[in-house]
Amino acid sequence: MTAALLAANRFGLGARPGELKAIVGDPRGWLKAQLDPGHAVPAPIAALPGTEARLATLPTLMGDPAEVQKKLAQAVLKAARDQLPQDSAARLQAAITAQTPLVERLTAFWSNHFTVSGARPVAAGLIGPYEVEAIRPHLFGRFVDLLKAATLHPAMLLYLDNAISIGPNSRAGQRRDKGLNENLARELMELHTLGVDGGYSQADVTELAKVLTGWTIRRPNQPQRAIAATRGSAVFIPAIHEPGEKSLLGRTYRDTAENEADAALEDLARHPATARFIATKLARHFIADAPPPEAVAALADTFAKTDGDLTAVYARLIDLDAAWSGEGKYRSPYDWVVAIFRAFAADTPDRASRAVQALNQLGQRLYFAPSPAGWPDDSSSWLAPESLLARVDYAEAVGRSKSESDPLQLADQSVGASLSTESKLSIQRAPSRSDAVALLLVSPEFLRR
């Protein structure tokens, strides 16, 4: 691939008409110009209600606790059904129309890293605002700030059960038959910071879970006097926080109530294992499934020396020679569908809704990652025969709807000079324009980034 193609496809989301010509003079400069913390939230997303507004729609309920819990659960599920399709369409419209596609790719990358999935309905209605409030504002800041915002957002607190975690020796823990939940603590170390080989133990997971107790969401009828601190739409309830000192990764944390979590998260963000883990994930996403060790080392070095300055890490990534070579990666369904819609400049909201449906058909339903680990970021996970057949079927459907398009012009605008002689001949010899368009979309050049 040429440098312009790599910038548009590997770092971006697929070339829109005219984009390759616009960036050919300075592809790296085009990317670095997007490393700006002043980016506004895309209009389709900004128009949607935030977490506070969504939580406010939950009913204020009185009566039998079991009945209250049942009605509250029903309200949460209804909110998810009402909001998630709108959130998904808005995210896809932002990606399809983006003039700064690296920003949208980074949003998707970090949202997948800090996954909150609609597979757990309790958090589904808050995933859209979670991206807006926890991910987007910190894309170009320090990793520690992104980590804090994601960890203590109501969507994450609900998704990984910290909202119902109670310190065993807290005032509430001594009165109730409920206790510590370690889900958030475990995923925080394994998936978000240190990595599975990061040198922590089960005892560390338990201690971190104790540190995180107290952080939950505001519930209907909850008296203000029970709340000691707020952070966005999350609240800290001292009555459920585990008292006393905690020992985590060889460090002792005094009982500083709501500040205890900040101290632990700051130390996790600055741990050497975190630098290596984040560098590996970025290199795997932008360079190759098995990235060169020297590329990972360079990114980890920048991460450590800049106190996790993500803009500096991205700039180092863009400067790496390894990021501009190799065969690239096989596009996930999300990448592939967005690239198709960008190639056709399919910008309207109804087209974004069709993109949502396409992802459902192709096995990567937006905001429904199968586990807290998120969607896989390696090519082999998307190369199963049934997945390839699904893409062929979808490409043929697109071809039928775009039979008026010039397939070779479309190829020039989307994959440019990377189109092989074999692929070009198959497109030229296709029996119809619709078949030719379909062949382009499933060509090796369009399937990779």
Side-chain angles (χ1 to χ4, degrees):
M1 287 190 188
T2 65
L5 279 168
L6 287 169
N9 293 325
R10 185 175 294 186
F11 288 91
L13 292 168
R16 288 172 57 84
E19 190 169 83
L20 292 178
K21 290 182 179 179
I23 66 179
V24 68
D26 186 11
R28 297 190 193 208
W30 178 72
L31 292 172
K32 288 185 176 181
Q34 298 178 49
L35 304 182
D36 179 1
H39 289 295
V41 176
I45 296 172
L48 296 171
T51 298
E52 195 69 31
R54 298 188 190 197
L55 289 177
T57 64
L58 297 180
T60 300
L61 302 169
M62 304 290 288
D64 176 69
E67 188 64 24
V68 166
Q69 192 68 23
K70 179 180 177 182
K71 290 181 179 179
L72 191 58
Q74 291 171 344
V76 168
L77 291 174
K78 181 181 184 303
R81 286 194 299 269
D82 292 345
Q83 290 292 342
L84 205 50
Q86 298 176 50
D87 293 337
S88 300
R91 157 84 103 79
L92 281 166
Q93 190 179 2
I96 292 164
T97 60
Q99 299 299 312
T100 52
L102 176 57
V103 177
E104 295 307 306
R105 177 169 290 285
L106 289 170
T107 299
F109 172 84
W110 287 114
S111 292
N112 195 55
H113 179 80
F114 292 107
T115 286
V116 173
S117 173
R120 290 207 65 194
V122 67
L126 299 181
I127 299 176
Y130 165 71
E131 275 194 352
V132 175
E133 297 158 6
I135 304 298
R136 287 183 180 273
H138 303 289
L139 288 176
F140 301 103
R142 296 186 310 150
F143 176 75
V144 65
D145 297 320
L146 174 59
L147 176 65
K148 290 179 182 179
T151 302
L152 298 180
H153 191 278
M156 185 68 78
L157 296 175
L158 285 167
Y159 177 57
L160 291 178
D161 299 315
N162 206 78
I164 59 171
S165 183
I166 299 175
N169 298 304
S170 66
R171 296 197 303 274
Q174 292 174 346
R175 295 195 308 266
R176 305 181 193 178
D177 187 24
K178 292 184 179 179
L180 200 63
N181 189 296
E182 298 181 352
N183 287 349
L184 178 56
R186 180 176 296 103
E187 309 305 4
L188 183 53
M189 289 198 278
E190 178 180 337
L191 302 176
H192 300 166
T193 56
L194 307 177
V196 69
D197 299 318
Y200 63 91
S201 67
Q202 174 55 42
D204 290 317
V205 172
T206 300
E207 291 295 286
L208 181 56
K210 292 176 182 178
V211 167
L212 296 170
T213 53
W215 283 104
T216 183
I217 64 166
R218 190 192 302 272
R219 287 170 168 77
N221 307 324
Q222 191 166 52
Q224 182 62 38
R225 65 180 180 274
I227 300 171
T230 61
R231 184 166 300 181
S233 300
V235 296
F236 182 81
I237 310 294
I240 62 174
H241 178 66
E242 177 69 9
E245 291 184 344
K246 290 89 176 174
S247 179
L248 173 64
L249 294 170
R251 298 197 63 172
T252 299
Y253 295 85
R254 293 184 300 108
D255 184 358
T256 54
E258 67 270 21
N259 298 318
E260 206 172 314
D262 279 343
L265 292 173
E266 287 166 8
D267 287 340
L268 284 171
R270 296 183 174 114
H271 196 286
T274 298
R276 292 192 298 271
F277 184 63
I278 298 301
T280 300
K281 289 197 72 172
L282 282 166
R284 182 181 299 124
H285 185 78
F286 285 96
I287 299 176
D289 289 347
E294 58 272 20
V296 174
L299 296 177
D301 180 67
T302 299
F303 186 101
K305 287 181 176 177
T306 63
D307 194 24
D309 182 332
L310 294 177
T311 299
V313 175
Y314 306 148
R316 185 71 180 274
L317 172 65
I318 292 168
D319 285 337
L320 289 176
D321 289 340
W324 300 88
S325 61
E327 64 178 6
K329 292 170 65 77
Y330 186 72
R331 278 175 162 149
S332 69
Y334 175 84
D335 277 331
W336 188 62
V337 167
V338 170
I340 290 172
F341 277 69
R342 285 177 66 84
F344 287 107
D347 294 353
T348 58
D350 66 303
R351 299 295 179 86
S353 295
R354 293 183 191 176
V356 172
Q357 296 169 8
L359 288 177
N360 294 347
Q361 296 166 15
L362 293 167
Q364 195 179 14
R365 185 180 178 187
L366 192 58
Y367 296 140
F368 272 79
S371 77
W375 291 105
D377 199 10
D378 62 290
S379 298
S380 61
S381 294
W382 304 110
L383 286 171
E386 60 270 20
S387 298
L388 296 174
L389 287 173
R391 294 201 193 198
V392 170
D393 290 342
Y394 183 72
E396 290 175 344
V398 172
R400 289 192 293 271
S401 69
K402 296 292 183 181
S403 58
E404 78 286 356
S405 300
D406 181 336
L408 290 179
Q409 181 183 31
L410 185 66
D412 184 58
Q413 293 178 342
S414 58
V415 299
S418 72
L419 190 69
S420 69
T421 300
E422 183 180 359
S423 294
K424 185 174 183 178
L425 283 174
S426 68
I427 291 168
Q428 290 174 325
R429 293 170 178 173
S432 66
R433 278 197 168 191
S434 61
D435 289 328
V437 168
L439 286 169
L440 169 63
L441 299 183
V442 294
S443 68
E445 296 79 21
F446 201 96
L447 286 171
R448 302 193 76 85
R449 66 171 184 87

